[in-house]
Amino acid sequence: MKKEFIICELSAKVGEKKQGFINILNTETKMPVTIINGANEGSTVLITAGVHGGEYPCIKAAIELAKEIDPKKVSGQIIIVHPVNTQGFVGRNAAVVPEDNKNILRVFPGDKNGTISEKIAYVISNELQEKADFYLDIHGGDIHEDLLPHIYYPGLADKSIIEASINMAKSFNVPYYVKSNTTNGTYTSAAIRKNIPSLLIERGGCGLCKEEDVKEYKRDILNVLSVLNVLDCEIKENEFSPREIKEAVYLEALNDGCWTCFVKAGQEIKEGEKLGEVTDYFGNIIDTYYAKFDAVVLYNTVAYSVTKDSSLIAYGRIN
């Protein structure tokens, strides 16, 4: 049991909850954070929401959970950031921090002497992840994306960390969990560099903040906190038994242009099926995309406008 739980400028005694802002190194950027120091001994769980400022359901769910969780029912500690990317949230920006146009999700473990995105990643890595036993980075389809609820787990960490991450994933009410081989993401960096079982969860999208998505997110997080014996609450039975995806394709635009998508998130597709096409501004087809194998669509861009190297579709082979 920690008599006093300290995160940067915030501190909470046993059985206390504290809310406030923490500073990002020598900048004017601040992140809203809630720390809960439980009444009993237990693990520490870190939850970050809003790494991408336009992914609204996860942010609202985090804000509500931070307000509603009773420290007296907590064993251990809970850290909730809501949101991480305040600049992107205020500016309604998709994916990036507007000051440096970088995606925080792609710059971990960060750099204390880098740009603002790299400094945010550095603080999360060295001030927040450093104190965590488990980590949940909660996301959703961005302003321009629709998606099927699913989870990513780290595929390149130690075997025990991968297994613990998969066990957490099975507590969520989603149909698929997907192996990730990235090394510079929020959750993969935590798993690989700090041996923390970690997940990235996706739910919601299209710039909407649907109450049903917020409700499902809260239900999922309460479930996993209960499974980890961090929160005393009833475990809700899941509708899905998640299936594993070990191979996924992430299509990116080869050129700027106008995007038409022929498939939807959650749709099962066949090898060779036409997924979409990009035209120039005169309606001439410049790129056409086909499925490499039978799979399920995890997410797709719904925007008509796309730029070179921007995301179009992700699909995964079902094991």
Side-chain angles (χ1 to χ4, degrees), residues 101 207 250:
N101 204 39
Y250 303 91

Side-chain angles (χ1 to χ4, degrees), residues 45-155:
V45 178
L46 168 63
I47 301 168
T48 52
V51 165
H52 298 147
E55 297 175 356
Y56 301 128
C58 67
I59 298 171
K60 186 175 182 184
I63 289 171
E64 291 184 2
L65 285 170
K67 188 174 182 180
E68 293 167 4
I69 291 175
D70 183 354
K72 295 181 177 59
K73 294 184 178 181
V74 173
S75 296
Q77 293 77 36
I78 303 173
I79 309 164
I80 307 176
V81 187
H82 45 86
V84 169
N85 183 358
T86 53
Q87 305 97 308
F89 179 77
V90 171
R92 299 177 183 171
N93 299 101
V96 300
V97 176
E99 287 93 328
D100 60 9
N101 204 39
K102 290 183 180 180
N103 184 343
I104 298 173
L105 186 62
R106 299 288 178 257
V107 299
F108 274 76
D111 181 354
K112 66 180 179 180
N113 298 313
T115 65
I116 186 60
S117 294
E118 293 163 336
K119 288 180 178 180
I120 291 170
Y122 180 88
V123 169
I124 291 173
S125 294
N126 293 278
E127 297 291 343
L128 306 185
Q129 290 178 354
E130 196 68 33
K131 295 180 171 66
D133 299 303
F134 300 95
Y135 177 36
L136 305 175
D137 187 28
I138 57 178
H139 283 253
D142 215 315
I143 293 169
H144 57 285
E145 293 174 336
D146 189 21
L147 63 76
L148 174 73
H150 60 284
I151 289 177
Y152 293 96
Y153 73 88

Side-chain angles (χ1 to χ4, degrees), residues 203-267:
R203 187 182 290 281
C206 297
L208 302 175
C209 193
K210 293 182 179 180
E211 196 56 38
E212 56 263 39
D213 290 328
V214 175
K215 183 178 179 180
E216 282 298 304
Y217 239 136
K218 290 170 67 175
R219 174 192 179 283
D220 279 343
I221 293 170
L222 291 173
N223 257 17
V224 76
L225 290 174
S226 182
V227 168
L228 295 174
N229 297 312
V230 171
L231 183 64
D232 181 15
C233 66
E234 178 187 359
I235 297 176
K236 301 292 180 62
E237 186 175 350
N238 288 336
E239 175 187 355
F240 299 103
S241 295
R243 301 166 70 186
E244 186 172 14
I245 291 175
K246 289 188 176 181
E247 181 180 5
V249 172
Y250 303 91
L251 283 180
E252 295 182 344
L254 298 173
N255 296 283
D256 297 352
C258 307
W259 164 245
T260 299
C261 189
F262 300 138
V263 296
K264 296 181 179 180
Q267 180 178 332

